[in-house]
Amino acid sequence: MKVAVLVSGNGTNLQALIDAQASGALAPAELCCVISNRPDAFALQRAQKANIAADVVDHKAFADRTAFETELIAALERHSAEAVVLAGFMRILTEGFVTRFRHRIINTHPALCPAFPGIHAPQQAIDYGVRLTGCTVHFVDAGVDTGPIIFQESTPVGPADDASSLHQRIRALEHRLLPRAVQLLANGRLSLDGRHVVIATD
């Protein structure tokens, strides 16, 4: 399965996918391209270093979200992408885009969904005073971090934590769980029963 990765920033989750591919742990998934909506995203350099096609579709160059997504889909089609991973991609996708890749878009979010959707989730968790937070790997639907959950894992929130230290621990969970979810998708082992993701056994 050819998998495209959409990025906006540093790309640590992308690097986890690249490392998994290099070790053989992503097969039969293959990273076919990395596309950023920001031309200065460091993730593009990670892709180039790994000899993965790296493209830019700058959302600022388009009049509206529909025009941006039309070009984004065209770029995905040029690379024959069959599935999409959002790895720090800071744009909300429309229902039309999600339908185009129905049940083939995976995202990771640094909170235990449905808690703390959107941006700054680790800081939201600290501000709320929760004792546990974590990460969620999920299918993408038309909402914000509301899609069916594939994996979740928790980490405690300590009294000395700030958003940076907490996010660092959450990222370690994401880096382990996201490649596993992509590998399961490529193997045809993920299916949906309503909102429940069913993982077929080996």
Side-chain angles (χ1 to χ4, degrees):
M1 175 180 280
K2 292 184 179 294
V3 177
V5 185
L6 304 186
V7 297
S8 296
N10 189 30
T12 62
N13 276 312
L14 168 64
Q15 190 64 54
L17 293 168
I18 290 170
D19 293 346
Q21 178 166 271
S23 71
L26 208 61
E30 175 193 348
L31 303 178
C32 65
C33 65
V34 172
I35 302 174
S36 177
N37 66 304
R38 291 180 51 189
D40 61 344
F42 183 71
L44 293 168
Q45 296 182 42
R46 295 181 187 272
Q48 291 163 352
K49 185 176 180 181
N51 294 314
I52 299 169
D55 286 355
V56 175
V57 180
D58 188 345
H59 66 279
K60 294 179 180 178
F62 299 89
D64 54 34
R65 190 176 297 177
T66 299
F68 165 67
E69 289 188 356
T70 297
E71 181 54 36
L72 187 58
I73 289 171
L76 292 168
E77 290 177 344
R78 285 196 297 273
H79 294 285
S80 303
E82 300 168 89
V84 178
V85 176
L86 309 184
F89 185 65
M90 304 304 290
R91 304 296 297 174
I92 296 172
L93 297 170
T94 67
E95 186 172 357
F97 186 99
V98 172
T99 300
R100 172 70 177 74
F101 293 94
R102 184 172 173 80
H103 302 154
R104 288 178 290 134
I105 308 175
I106 290 177
N107 184 43
T108 179
H109 181 65
L112 296 174
C113 296
F116 312 126
I119 62 173
H120 308 309
Q123 187 63 55
Q124 289 186 61
I126 289 171
D127 292 345
Y128 200 85
V130 297
R131 301 298 180 89
L132 287 173
T133 188
C135 79
T136 303
V137 179
H138 62 93
F139 283 116
V140 174
D141 61 13
V144 177
D145 303 316
T146 57
I149 293 166
I150 302 169
F151 290 130
Q152 285 185 311
E153 193 163 328
S154 65
T155 186
V157 182
D161 270 321
D162 59 18
S164 177
S165 64
L166 182 56
H167 204 174
Q168 186 174 355
R169 290 204 307 282
I170 294 170
R171 281 197 183 103
L173 304 178
E174 292 179 316
H175 295 168
R176 182 163 46 81
L177 296 179
L178 181 59
R180 179 62 174 153
V182 173
Q183 194 261 350
L184 289 170
L185 178 67
N187 265 315
R189 291 178 54 197
L190 299 181
S191 60
L192 282 168
D193 179 11
R195 282 196 53 85
H196 297 273
V197 177
V198 179
I199 302 175
T201 57
D202 289 319

